[in-house]
Amino acid sequence: SAGTRSPQDAVRLRVRDASGEFRHFDCTASDLTDDLDVGGIVITARDVSAQQRAEDERADVEARYRATFERSPLGIAMVALDGCLLEANSALGRMVGHEPDALVGRPIVDLVHPADRELLDRLAPGEATGEPVSRTVRLVHADGHTVWVLADTSTIEHPDGSPAYHVALVADITDRKRLEARLEHQAFHDSLTGLPNRARLTDLLEVAWRNRSASGHLAVLFVDLDDFKRVNDERDHDAGDELLTLVARRLRAAVRGGDGVCRYGGDEFVVVCAEVEAPEVAVGLAERIRSSIEQPFLLASGPATIGASVGVAFADAHPSPSDLLRSADRAVGRAKASGRNRVVTAGDAT
């Protein structure tokens, strides 16, 4: 409009050519009506069709990028080389409970669970070459809960090849992680008592075997309930299940903090004592377990009384974890044969 454009400012116009296609021209006008040789207005037109096409393409790409950035179900973060967020989309904002604009300028490590921050401190080889690098980390939501994410990070380079910034595509995998944890728990824990099962016992025993110290003893207590079958037969299986659940609770209460309690199967349980100062300590623990279990249980169907035979074995005299467990099992057999509801060590059972 008049008063806002100088004579040198070009006006871009579309003109249809002979083939019917539009071409773009930047036009400037010079008023030469006072020039006796010209006596009119001179219009200079420069064909900028190629430039206009390039600008349209850039605008189209930018619009599609913006739509993808904002509507993507994946979190997207542009991160400066110093680790601060340059831009974040709405999906990432929802993952961490903040508006995207509020994230700009914040160090990305502030959003990461403290236990996982060291993963961001180590530059992966692929990030130096621009290749995507995947990491599974935990983010912390504004309300404090943990969000598991899979982050694929790439480094964007300047035309000269030097790094410019990082781009991270972030997928929320919290539900998948919960499912994995649930399936793992089901695979390695008894569904009735919640105790680690026989498969988990193998792992616990092998770890304790590898980590046993010269100053301590590794002991295994094999617990076999006495008279459990009578309760199960005289009442019903619900009563038997209830009794096993209560036994598991008493076992947890009787052992030390670092001891592992597992359900071996049926009415058998195993306690792994990784660090025992002296053999007498393990035997005393076995006696405490036996005494605890012989106290009456109050079931929904009424009181019930059972006992426990406990076999104790020590790693010192055994070549392998499996041999240690078998030795404790044999000690239980001796306890059963000797009258039940008693503690027998592996040395006494031979």
Side-chain angles (χ1 to χ4, degrees):
S1 60
T4 61
R5 181 183 295 116
S6 71
Q8 291 75 32
D9 291 336
V11 176
R12 185 160 296 183
L13 302 175
R14 288 191 303 166
V15 179
R16 193 189 301 271
D17 63 17
S19 66
E21 295 184 2
F22 282 103
R23 303 186 69 81
H24 290 80
F25 293 87
D26 277 353
C27 303
T28 57
S30 299
D31 185 359
L32 299 180
T33 53
D34 295 334
D35 190 318
L36 297 178
D37 294 329
V38 179
I41 296 175
V42 176
I43 296 177
T44 303
R46 183 167 62 91
D47 188 343
V48 292
S49 300
Q51 177 183 337
Q52 183 64 48
R53 283 194 298 273
E55 291 175 359
D56 290 344
E57 290 173 358
R58 282 197 299 271
D60 181 60
V61 169
E62 175 66 18
R64 282 184 282 148
Y65 165 76
R66 276 288 132 198
T68 301
F69 185 83
E70 290 302 329
R71 299 174 186 172
S72 173
L74 296 177
I76 303 176
M78 300 173 65
V79 186
L81 299 181
D82 64 1
C84 292
L85 280 159
L86 298 171
E87 194 169 2
N89 71 344
S90 298
L92 183 62
R94 288 192 296 271
M95 288 181 196
V96 294
H98 294 283
E99 290 297 323
D101 290 345
L103 298 175
V104 175
R106 292 185 59 177
I108 195 164
V109 295
D110 286 357
L111 308 178
V112 178
H113 192 283
D116 291 346
R117 288 177 181 174
E118 64 177 16
L119 295 175
L120 302 185
D121 294 335
R122 297 196 297 268
L123 180 66
E127 288 174 312
T129 62
E131 298 176 358
V133 174
S134 295
R135 292 187 181 92
T136 298
V137 298
R138 288 165 292 178
L139 303 182
V140 180
H141 192 274
D143 65 11
H145 78 264
T146 297
V147 180
W148 280 96
V149 300
L150 176 63
D152 290 324
T153 307
S154 299
T155 299
I156 306 303
E157 299 177 343
H158 290 296
D160 64 2
S162 61
Y165 57 91
H166 305 295
V167 173
L169 301 180
V170 185
D172 186 339
I173 59 170
T174 303
D175 289 342
R176 190 181 85 187
K177 280 290 186 179
R178 287 173 179 166
L179 177 60
E180 290 174 355
R182 186 161 61 249
L183 292 175
E184 181 179 8
H185 187 275
Q186 291 172 355
F188 292 101
H189 288 77
D190 174 51
S191 60
L192 176 64
T193 64
L195 294 176
N197 58 17
R198 187 184 298 197
R200 184 60 176 151
L201 168 63
T202 300
D203 293 338
L204 291 174
L205 192 52
E206 289 179 353
V207 170
W209 183 273
R210 289 195 302 269
N211 296 336
R212 66 190 189 281
S213 65
S215 59
H217 298 272
L218 168 60
V220 167
L221 281 55
F222 205 110
V223 182
D224 192 342
L225 302 183
D226 300 324
D227 297 322
F228 172 78
K229 187 176 184 302
R230 172 181 54 78
V231 176
N232 206 43
D233 292 345
E234 292 178 357
R235 303 193 190 186
D236 54 33
H237 291 293
D238 289 341
D241 288 347
E242 184 183 5
L243 180 55
L244 289 172
T245 301
L246 294 176
V247 167
R249 292 180 186 174
R250 288 194 184 179
L251 284 171
R252 288 195 190 100
V255 301
R256 305 169 308 162
D259 298 331
V261 181
C262 304
R263 186 182 178 191
Y264 192 71
D267 59 354
E268 297 175 328
F269 299 83
V270 173
V271 179
V272 178
C273 304
E275 286 290 334
V276 181
E277 298 82 358
E280 295 78 15
V281 175
V283 174
L285 176 59
E287 285 288 356
R288 185 160 72 244
I289 289 172
R290 186 202 61 76
S291 177
S292 173
I293 292 176
E294 73 175 353
Q295 302 304 313
F297 291 87
L298 182 58
L299 307 182
S301 58
T305 303
I306 60 173
S309 297
V310 186
V312 183
F314 297 95
D316 311 58
H318 300 87
S320 69
S322 58
D323 189 65
L324 172 61
L325 184 61
R326 283 193 297 269
S327 184
D329 190 11
R330 289 194 296 268
V332 167
R334 178 62 182 274
K336 292 279 190 183
S338 301
R340 301 186 175 191
N341 195 31
R342 63 190 61 206
V343 174
V344 173
T345 65
D348 295 332
T350 53

